[in-house]
Amino acid sequence: MTRPRRMPTLYLSHGAPPLADDTRWTRELADWSAELPRPRAILMVSAHWEDAPLTVGATTDAAPLTYDFWGFPQRYYAVTYPHPGAPGLAERVSALVSGPGRHVHQDPARGLDHGAYVPLKEMYPDADIPVLQVSMPTLDPAELLELGRRLAPLREEGVLIVGSGFTTHNLRLMSPTTHGDAPAWSSEFDDWTHRTVLDHDVDALLDFEHKAPAASLAHPRSDHFAPLFVALGTSLDAHDRSTSTVDGYWHGMAKRSFQFD
């Protein structure tokens, strides 16, 4: 068999289910995925699944999705994404992550949540690539960075690792307009994150709550920024470059996304 090409790792801003109605965002994701090498499998880490210890989701084909949102029109609950399961990847993740004091749980009923299937449906609409989702066992940046470092060997095995969150995320301060200028708290944090990620300043990113402008407004809770640290961790030992692939704002929140090669 041909040796798989080393895969990049992604951090993307996924938004709420209605973001899939935004033709600008869906085009950006489709164009992005078209430039990527085709993965053998995809490992998703979403802001919407926190569970400790690290937990592996469903591994069966066409596992039902997890509609983890409320109050939306019924059509958002009818979305499907019948992807192949990835039991082999689940075993590989367990082998890489498990160790003394580190256990991996299984949740076979837990399908992809909207932080996973909403962007995947735009990037890989044929749903023909095996997908596995794992939980975030903590929001601690240093621990998530270490988790990414442990998962890094998967990149050499053709696995696309995706951290799915939102570069700024404050639902109480969302702007009424879909596109256009963002409030200062969002644009300042986004600019700082952009510059700091491209500089690969890991120490500053780990201390973003103190180093970044308007951090407490950009992330009243850090769950949507946390997947960035998993993605960043995969590039600690073999970092070629970091690229900003998507920018702009959606209702004032920065949908900045990154690729780590």
Side-chain angles (χ1 to χ4, degrees):
M1 294 180 64
T2 304
R3 180 180 177 85
R5 179 176 171 183
R6 179 171 174 259
M7 296 297 297
T9 301
L10 316 182
Y11 169 76
L12 58 81
S13 296
H14 66 255
L19 192 51
D21 300 330
D22 187 318
T23 56
R24 181 185 301 182
W25 183 74
T26 57
R27 183 181 65 252
E28 288 169 336
L29 288 194
D31 291 346
W32 187 6
S33 61
E35 297 298 321
L36 297 172
R38 181 175 172 82
R40 290 187 171 182
I42 300 171
L43 180 66
M44 296 294 303
V45 181
S46 162
H48 295 282
W49 190 15
E50 298 173 47
D51 207 350
L54 185 138
T55 305
V56 173
T59 60
T60 56
D61 288 359
L65 301 179
T66 298
Y67 302 101
D68 54 334
F69 45 85
W70 300 267
F72 288 90
Q74 182 57 37
R75 63 190 178 90
Y76 293 113
Y77 302 91
V79 173
T80 60
Y81 192 71
H83 63 91
L89 178 56
E91 293 178 2
R92 186 76 177 107
V93 167
S94 295
L96 290 170
V97 175
S98 297
R102 296 189 308 273
H103 305 286
V104 175
H105 282 188
Q106 310 285 330
D107 187 350
R110 218 285 185 178
L112 303 182
D113 62 44
H114 80 270
Y117 73 77
V118 169
L120 285 179
K121 197 169 181 67
E122 307 306 326
M123 299 180 81
Y124 300 102
D126 293 336
D128 57 352
I129 299 173
V131 182
L132 177 72
Q133 185 172 353
V134 297
S135 71
M136 285 194 300
T138 178
L139 294 182
D140 180 83
E143 292 187 30
L144 291 173
L145 194 78
E146 173 61 18
L147 173 60
R149 192 188 67 78
R150 290 183 177 277
L151 294 172
L154 296 174
R155 296 180 60 189
E156 306 292 343
E157 300 166 19
V159 177
L160 180 66
I161 302 171
V162 182
S164 178
F166 221 110
T167 295
T168 63
H169 189 261
N170 189 329
L171 299 182
R172 292 185 177 182
L173 298 181
M174 288 178 66
S175 300
T177 55
T178 304
H179 300 295
D181 293 336
W185 60 265
S186 186
S187 61
E188 291 173 3
F189 186 93
D190 174 54
D191 177 68
W192 179 88
T193 301
H194 181 202
R195 290 184 287 103
T196 309
V197 167
L198 265 57
D199 288 343
H200 209 66
D201 189 343
V202 176
D203 290 338
L205 288 165
L206 288 173
D207 196 27
F208 78 95
E209 292 178 310
H210 301 102
K211 297 289 179 61
S216 62
L217 290 177
H219 291 283
R221 192 169 184 274
S222 64
D223 52 336
H224 277 71
F225 202 56
L228 172 65
F229 296 106
V230 180
L232 191 66
T234 67
S235 67
L236 286 180
D237 299 329
H239 176 248
D240 293 332
R241 62 173 182 162
S242 305
T243 309
S244 175
T245 54
V246 176
D247 58 15
Y249 301 90
W250 186 75
H251 289 284
M253 297 188 296
K255 55 189 177 73
R256 175 85 58 187
S257 301
F258 296 101
Q259 179 172 324
F260 299 97
D261 292 296

